[in-house]
Amino acid sequence: MIRKSVPVLLALLMMAMLSGCQPDEGIVPASDADAKPAYGDTFIEASIGEPSNLLPILATDSASSEINGLVYNGLVRYDKNLKLEGELAESWDISPDNLTITFHLRKGVKWHDGAPFTSADVMFTYRLYIDPDTPTAYAESYKQVKHAEAPDDYTFRVTYDKPYAPALGSWAMRILPKHLLDGVPITKSPLSRHPIGTGPFVFTEWQPGEKVVVEANPDYFEGRPFLKRVVYRVIPDQTTQFLLLRNGDLDYMDLSPIQYQTQTDTLAFERRFNKYRYLAFSYTYLGYNLERPLFKDRRVRQALSYAINKQEIIEGVLLGLGQAATGPYKPDTWVYNPNVKRYPYDPDKARALLAEAGWHDSDGDGILDKDGQPLQFTIITNQGNDLRIKTGEIMQQRFREVGVSVKLRVIEWAAFLKDFIHAGNFDACILGWAGGPEPDQYNIWHSSKTGGRELNFIHFRNAEVDRLLEEGRRTFDQEKRKKIYDRFQEILAEEQPYTFLYVAESLPVVARRLRGIEPAPAGITYNFIRWYVPEEEQKYAR
Amino acid sequence: MLRFLAKRLLMMIPLLIGITLISFVVIHLAPGEPTDMQTDLNPDASAELQERLRAQYGLDQPLYVQYGQWLGRLSRLDFGESFSLDHRPVMEKIRERLPITIIINLLSIILILAVAIPIGILSATRRNSLFDRATTVFVFIGFAMPSFWLALLLMDYGGVRLGLFPIAGIRSLGHEYLSFSARIWDLVHHLILPVFVSAFGGLAGFSRYMRSNMLEVVRQDYILTARAKGLSERVVIYRHALRNALLPVITLLGLSVPGLIGGSVIFETIFAIPGMGKLFYDGVMMRDYPLIMGVLVIGAILTLVGNLLADISYAMADPRIRRS
């Protein structure tokens, strides 16, 4: 038996390899013009990680927050053009002194268990966030509130000590049901496994390690979502996700640059999927530890920026799917300042600046030196992010060409933060920040935020930036705010405490049977409840 | 035999405590803490929050106090609550993940034995034949081939292109609407590729081991005697030689027991199987101390029990071991 089975198995394997069969093409949609919105069908997407906790106040991972986004609502949200609009709040008034915000809540909204939503829920949620016994990582914005009150069932009012411009956006936090959580220790609540919200989808099932399922809320206040069911499968490997997608087992995933550029450019793929690309709210940078004598000289930092070929990194690492970053804001937002000083790739200028700063190759070994010390430093980055590692390798090569010797060290995340970043024990690091529509950068750049575990770990101190950041937080008027942040970006561009490297693109792909997708500055998922599958193309009956 | 057993069982207790102590110290030596996941690089997380979380998890206590508390709980068979954000009992999490890992590993051991033992015997009895050489090449390919690569290959060809097998997961969407028998088939269908991949690498070791044992045994005098008596080759090999050649395999089987729960991170990740390997890996990455310790303790107990079972089987098979 064995004698036979081995060759048979081998033959099967060989056959499979040689066959080159095309995948099942599944449902190929008709033209968009014929499509009519219809209720029904299941939408399947995958998440790399298992959600941790479906109580938004406790969850910090993206899988949980994505599901929570379907089950819960906030008072406000960002619309397709990244402007704040009401969600559970119908409207709001801001007092002339910018200190008080009064939210007028929607009437007739119901929790998924049928209980009515009122201002008592908002009040309860606010108190829960600032309760010292709540182990939440999101309390800081709500601690700025001096006084909160709920004068009636549909009004909620908060007053701040001083004007706080990010305040309104902070009320996008998800509101929790008082009647189900009051008196229960928050970490013991059954809602962490079985959420009950006011959102467009109702939680139905969570199979640990496998999937989370939510179904359309027929009573949703903005109208019932077209899609009947959404399934989040936990697929920890991105290659497996991609195979599932190609097989038609997934309707949505975020592609990597290589998948976008080289593995999905076939006609067969494009007949079944729509690919999208837009700039993500994040950027990657090379940050210099300004406590190190080498980086105290601005000319050295500027020289290093001139020595880096950002376009080469974008082509090599992102396969062209990104843009050069010039500051902390992404280029297509209102706050972005296009007129700051730029650092095009110019090795001669880099050499000249370094020479001006006193660095010369006196011993002819190809490495610049000063007072007998060679110009060398180490760049650290975290393990598990290939794009950053490759970015480091490309920069290393370019630095070498201007006479700077650079070592690259890749360190496991926890050790990276604890032993290097928080301890201030590094020369330079490659990292990235993810942001959002709110431009406040106080925590990253203000000189008061250079403490042990704080975010200004490169120790950037600039009195004018401090003043601008404080003012930016207090200014509600967008035009005035823009002037403040324009100046802030000019200073960063001049000082180069970071070399801002690139803004990568998000590369989502969606099965073509899904309609109603309208790309906008906010991406594609902002109108998810209006996505639909025409009746004749629906794939899942149940 | 009873004395032998009692002695072995008693020896296991200090050994187990030693293992837990070393594990406890080692995982606490690794940089980073479970609370870091919530607070690191988070502008909203203040220093007080960090301290409060540490106190909540008992991380502000000296290490020996933490270990003492943990050991105290363990003596009541309480593995504590996970430090991850879901705060669920460790036992519950392990119970959810254990069955699938045990099923896959058991099936893969059975598959390995069912294929490797006959290959080993035939290779030994037909030494240097075409079959022997071909299987040598085949098993070494299996040994050398990274399991993730084999898995991806099979998923791509067997799953996407030929559509013979499901690509990932352990059940189909809508599994709950199927009839009982269809559900069983659905599960089996999903398990074929993972079990094959998990067994493939093990085939080489076991079949080579079986082959060399067999070669050793057939050189013994009693085999010569058996042959001289005029017994058929079949009887000589399968009745006399095989029994002795199989003995050392028992040890290997004993050592495979911890693998039954350890699972494999790689194939569980690739096939999206919610098993112990992935649970443990995520636990380590998140510094979820109670979970890590829970899995390690169960693994240690199983290793010790596996060794004990192997020793008992040995002692039963060979009286000299009992006496010594």
Side-chain angles (χ1 to χ4, degrees), chain B residues 14-89:
Chain B
L15 204 57
L16 190 64
I17 294 181
I19 293 173
T20 61
L21 181 64
I22 293 172
S23 313
F24 197 86
V25 172
V26 168
I27 58 173
H28 279 81
L29 280 179
E33 284 189 345
T35 53
D36 293 349
M37 296 295 293
Q38 290 170 67
T39 56
D40 266 333
L41 299 190
N42 178 349
D44 271 355
S46 56
E48 309 116 71
L49 172 75
Q50 173 75 11
E51 282 316 303
R52 216 168 48 234
L53 285 174
R54 296 191 77 235
Q56 254 176 18
Y57 288 138
L59 297 170
D60 52 347
Q61 310 272 346
L63 206 55
Y64 64 89
V65 176
Q66 292 183 45
Y67 180 67
Q69 286 169 345
W70 178 81
L71 211 57
R73 276 200 305 273
L74 185 71
S75 65
R76 299 189 300 274
L77 287 182
D78 174 9
F79 284 92
E81 267 179 19
S82 164
F83 279 177
S84 72
L85 292 172
D86 58 13
H87 303 286
R88 296 168 69 212

Side-chain angles (χ1 to χ4, degrees), chain B residues 141-261:
Chain B
I141 289 176
F143 203 55
M145 191 186 294
S147 60
F148 76 90
W149 189 71
L150 176 68
L152 288 175
L153 208 67
L154 288 172
M155 285 156 83
D156 192 7
Y157 284 95
V160 179
R161 289 171 201 245
L162 295 176
L164 294 175
F165 303 104
I167 297 167
I170 51 165
R171 49 195 146 191
S172 311
L173 195 72
H175 175 90
E176 52 275 29
Y177 304 115
L178 299 173
S179 68
F180 181 73
S181 55
R183 259 190 253 180
I184 298 288
W185 166 241
D186 186 48
L187 191 67
V188 171
H189 200 196
H190 278 83
L191 287 182
I192 293 175
L193 289 188
V195 168
F196 180 76
V197 170
S198 129
F200 200 62
L203 277 180
F206 259 89
S207 62
R208 288 285 97 182
Y209 196 61
M210 193 64 217
R211 180 180 181 270
S212 63
N213 279 343
M214 201 68 190
L215 283 176
E216 187 124 328
V217 171
V218 293
R219 271 192 231 116
Q220 304 284 326
D221 290 346
Y222 69 91
I223 298 292
L224 197 68
T225 314
R227 282 195 177 128
K229 277 195 327 195
L231 292 177
S232 73
E233 188 62 18
R234 209 183 162 75
V235 174
V236 171
I237 294 296
Y238 290 100
R239 194 168 296 166
H240 295 272
L242 181 59
R243 210 178 278 178
N244 283 300
L246 273 177
L247 257 182
V249 174
I250 295 172
T251 318
L252 272 188
L253 277 181
L255 292 175
S256 318
V257 172
L260 285 182
I261 78 139

Side-chain angles (χ1 to χ4, degrees), chain B residues 1 4 28 48 68 73 82 90 101 105 123 130 132 170 180 182 212 246 256 258 265 272 289 294 310 319:
Chain B
M1 184 73 181
F4 167 79
H28 279 81
E48 309 116 71
R73 276 200 305 273
S82 164
V90 166
T101 302
N105 282 288
S123 300
L130 182 67
D132 185 26
I170 51 165
F180 181 73
S212 63
L246 273 177
S256 318
V265 181
Y289 302 144

